[in-house]
């Protein structure tokens, strides 16, 4: 690790909060308190935490349908996120967006997106605006490996490279698009080769090594912020769960799941914190417990929160 002890502990806390939020949300969904399925990122926390800790509040991010971690790591309020999942009036989107469409403009979270690759052109547009305004903030776009096979990936990277826009593209490669192995539907050498062919320098990192993600993100964010143009960070990781909260993932081979969970990001960082004497087992347990208590408290509050007023059904709707 190249960061200081405080940075390592911040990364650990961020990942624990993401994990606790999603485990709490899954429990609430199972209890019937959350309408509709959830797309969780359990096992992928190292990517969101490692990148967002290098961002400023005025930097913008866009996300995909699996975006709870990105929103939390960027600073979105837990209460507003939980209430959004519960469909309550106090949610960040008034309870109308739900799990797949959380946005919190106050921290630069421009929104999750239920359309695969849908966040790419939004991030590029945000970066274009940043450049036109002469600001030194940047845009960061999170998307999965399935997005690289859709048109917005080509269009977005081409536009960003052409105008040297301040945008960092982040491909969270969890090796599966919905229920299909990415290798079965992706031709050629993959995302890095495609990015470089479009004139966007790219680098790969082990997304389960949050320290490595942090280090690479620090370098790429600095390059983008300096005016060097867009960059792409390809993070390999593994999703522990099925596609949604209703998918038991029985279609996945047991040996693949076991191998995929080896070296998962939270346990991996904890082993290094213990080995380097930065934290004790009790310290780490306390961080995990605090994260879980925070999320359970938010769940209790969300369950008691009011539903949206029916009179607001058509507010915030284009053309209404």
């Amino acid at each position: 690790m190249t960061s200081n002890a405080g940075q390592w502990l911040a990364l650990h806390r961020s990942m624990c909060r993401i994990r606790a939020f999603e485990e709490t949300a899954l429990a609430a969904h199972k209890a019937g308190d959350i309408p509709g399925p959830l797309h969780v990122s359990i096992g992928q926390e190292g990517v969101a935490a490692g990148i967002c800790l290098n961002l400023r509040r005025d930097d913008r991010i866009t996300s995909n349908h699996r975006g709870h971690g990105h929103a939390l790591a960027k600073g979105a309020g837990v209460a507003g996120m939980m209430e959004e999942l519960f469909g309550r009036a106090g949610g960040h989107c008034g309870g109308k967006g739900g799990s797949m469409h959380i946005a919190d403009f106050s921290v630069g979270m421009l929104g999750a997106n239920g359309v695969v690759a849908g966040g790419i052109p939004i991030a590029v547009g945000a970066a274009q605006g940043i450049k036109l305004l002469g600001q030194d903030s940047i845009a960061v776009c999170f998307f999965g490996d399935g997005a690289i096979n859709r048109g917005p990936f080509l269009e977005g990277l081409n536009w960003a490279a052409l105008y040297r826009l301040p945008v960092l593209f982040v491909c969270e490669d969890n090796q599966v698009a919905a229920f299909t192995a990415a290798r079965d539907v992706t031709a050629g050498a993959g995302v890095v080769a495609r990015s470089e062919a479009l004139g966007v320098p790219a680098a790969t990192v082990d997304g389960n090594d949050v320290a490595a993600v942090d280090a690479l993100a620090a370098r790429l964010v600095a390059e983008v912020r300096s005016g060097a143009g867009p960059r792409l960070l390809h993070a390999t990781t593994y999703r522990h769960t099925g596609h949604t909260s209703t998918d038991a993932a029985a279609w996945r081979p047991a040996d693949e799941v076991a191998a995929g969970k080896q070296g998962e990001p939270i346990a991996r960082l904890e082993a290094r914190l213990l080995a380097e004497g930065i934290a004790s087992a009790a310290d780490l347990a306390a961080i995990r417990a605090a994260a879980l208590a925070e999320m359970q408290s938010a769940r209790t509050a969300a369950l008691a929160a009011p539903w949206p007023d029916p009179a607001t059904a058509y507010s915030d709707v284009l053309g209404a």
Side-chain angles (χ1 to χ4, degrees), residues 140-152:
V140 178
C141 178
F142 292 93
F143 53 90
D145 46 87
I148 74 170
N149 293 324
R150 302 203 70 242

Side-chain angles (χ1 to χ4, degrees), residues 89-166:
H92 284 304
C93 300
K96 300 177 184 178
S99 171
M100 288 195 289
H101 301 98
I102 291 175
D104 185 355
F105 289 1
S106 70
V107 296
M109 169 50 166
L110 301 185
N113 202 307
V115 178
V116 175
I120 295 177
I122 296 173
V124 171
Q128 185 88 68
I130 288 168
K131 185 166 184 175
L132 288 171
L133 292 171
Q135 300 170 344
D136 71 338
S137 52
I138 71 169
V140 178
C141 178
F142 292 93
F143 53 90
D145 46 87
I148 74 170
N149 293 324
R150 302 203 70 242
F153 176 83
L154 166 65
E155 296 170 8
L157 268 70
N158 179 70
W159 190 272
L162 184 64
Y163 291 100
R164 294 176 62 86
L165 299 182

Side-chain angles (χ1 to χ4, degrees), residues 243-277:
H243 179 53
T244 71
S245 52
T246 60
D247 171 24
W251 47 274
R252 274 181 155 171
D255 57 344
E256 176 199 306
V257 175
K261 290 183 178 180
Q262 288 294 316
E264 66 96 12
I266 296 178
R268 190 165 173 175
L269 179 60
E270 288 186 346
R272 298 182 73 170
L273 290 169
L274 291 169
E276 298 191 24

Side-chain angles (χ1 to χ4, degrees), residues 111-302:
N113 202 307
V115 178
V116 175
I120 295 177
I122 296 173
V124 171
Q128 185 88 68
I130 288 168
K131 185 166 184 175
L132 288 171
L133 292 171
Q135 300 170 344
D136 71 338
S137 52
I138 71 169
V140 178
C141 178
F142 292 93
F143 53 90
D145 46 87
I148 74 170
N149 293 324
R150 302 203 70 242
F153 176 83
L154 166 65
E155 296 170 8
L157 268 70
N158 179 70
W159 190 272
L162 184 64
Y163 291 100
R164 294 176 62 86
L165 299 182
V167 56
L168 174 63
F169 298 100
V170 179
C171 178
E172 288 185 285
D173 187 352
N174 62 21
Q175 305 169 49
V176 59
F179 308 96
T180 306
R183 62 179 177 274
D184 294 336
V185 292
T186 303
V191 62
V192 168
R194 292 185 186 185
S195 179
E196 292 178 341
L198 291 165
V200 178
T204 296
V205 67
D206 180 352
N208 290 340
D209 183 349
V210 68
V213 176
D214 173 42
L216 180 58
R219 176 171 69 83
L220 296 183
V221 165
E223 291 175 2
V224 172
R225 201 181 301 282
S226 73
R231 297 289 187 269
L232 183 140
L233 187 154
H234 171 227
T236 58
T237 184
Y238 190 81
R239 191 183 75 219
H240 291 186
T241 63
H243 179 53
T244 71
S245 52
T246 60
D247 171 24
W251 47 274
R252 274 181 155 171
D255 57 344
E256 176 199 306
V257 175
K261 290 183 178 180
Q262 288 294 316
E264 66 96 12
I266 296 178
R268 190 165 173 175
L269 179 60
E270 288 186 346
R272 298 182 73 170
L273 290 169
L274 291 169
E276 298 191 24
I278 293 170
S280 67
D283 293 331
L284 299 178
I287 292 171
R288 292 194 300 271
L292 184 58
E294 178 189 12
M295 303 313 165
Q296 289 179 336
S297 177
R299 174 186 176 181
T300 299

